Amino acid sequence: MKIAVITGASAGIGREFVYAVDKYDTFDEIWVIARRRERLEELAAKCRNPIRSIALDLSDLGSIDEYKALLEKEQPQIGILVNAAGCGVFGPFEEKELLASARLNSLALTAMCHVSLPYMTSGSSIVNMGSNSAWQPVPYQAVYGASKSYVLSLSRALWRELRPKGIHVMCVCPGWIKTEFQQVAQHDKYIHYVDKWYGPDEVAAQAMKDLGKKKLVSILGHPVRRQVRLVKFLPVKLVMSIWCKQQGIK
């Protein structure tokens, strides 16, 4: 049984990845994973491939054991794994509850890759959701930015390790995406400047196009690409100062 696995599939970028992957290839099933089962079940009517809804909260790392048990029972071949689940909180480090974000963005993603790999073969792919925040430290978004830097580094290393096996790994590093994530992150109090908003459907479409080209990193939009190139050459302190000035933070 050939399957695709997509986390964070109930909304935002994860949901758009379901639609994009559904168009990308033919699968016996697409396994969609998120907390809200009712939102997952809505996907079946909009996809040509069969959908299996799996309600798991991946911020609880015990959920990985449930996913692992399901793999052991079904023994599928995973054609593509998309780790799109993620969350973040904007605001002062000392005032926020941050462990759930760190667990979901970094540890759960790592565990999903590790548990899924035995069921992947040559031609399989892993797509990990990073962020434009992965390229620099981000004050008042410190844990989110650090977790996405981790995802970028992990993805690059796995790309090199798994290349001899024919398994491709790509990290998606978008700029500002208009999704429910922004509401949950409570960004309005701390984020006052956004250069450009992108739609989650645009990001997913570009990612699948880049996956077909076997790119290591997928970046949508010339403004985001310019920023990535720029921060590589500027001193880190200056980059953080520019960010804080843009957001009106002292």
Side-chain angles (χ1 to χ4, degrees), residues 138-169:
V138 188
Y140 296 88
Q141 200 181 344
V143 171
Y144 178 78
S147 70
K148 293 304 183 178
S149 292
Y150 171 88
V151 171
L152 177 60
S153 180
L154 176 71
S155 299
R156 284 171 157 173
L158 289 181
W159 171 83
R160 184 60 184 84
E161 281 192 37
L162 299 176
R163 187 176 66 175
K165 297 182 178 181
I167 299 173
H168 184 68
V169 183

Side-chain angles (χ1 to χ4, degrees), residues 82-195:
V82 179
N83 284 306
C87 65
V89 179
F90 297 166
F93 178 87
E94 61 186 336
E95 297 178 8
K96 299 295 180 178
E97 170 52 53
L98 302 166
L99 292 184
S101 177
R103 283 195 300 268
L104 182 58
N105 295 352
S106 301
L107 297 182
L109 180 145
T110 302
M112 286 295 296
C113 290
H114 189 259
V115 170
S116 299
L117 268 175
Y119 302 90
M120 306 184 90
T121 58
S122 180
S124 296
S125 301
I126 298 174
V127 177
N128 290 328
M129 275 304 301
S131 168
N132 196 28
S133 299
W135 308 97
Q136 64 190 67
V138 188
Y140 296 88
Q141 200 181 344
V143 171
Y144 178 78
S147 70
K148 293 304 183 178
S149 292
Y150 171 88
V151 171
L152 177 60
S153 180
L154 176 71
S155 299
R156 284 171 157 173
L158 289 181
W159 171 83
R160 184 60 184 84
E161 281 192 37
L162 299 176
R163 187 176 66 175
K165 297 182 178 181
I167 299 173
H168 184 68
V169 183
M170 184 179 75
C171 188
V172 183
C173 292
W176 295 97
I177 313 175
K178 203 71 170 177
T179 66
E180 289 181 10
F181 168 83
Q182 300 297 336
Q183 298 172 4
V184 175
Q186 300 174 3
H187 73 284
D188 289 340
K189 185 177 179 182
Y190 298 99
I191 304 300
H192 303 286
Y193 169 81
V194 174
D195 53 358

Side-chain angles (χ1 to χ4, degrees), residues 136 138-139 141 176 191 239-247:
Q136 64 190 67
V138 188
Q141 200 181 344
W176 295 97
I191 304 300
V239 171
M240 290 192 289
S241 294
I242 292 172
W243 162 261
C244 289
K245 184 176 181 179
Q246 286 175 332
Q247 307 307 336

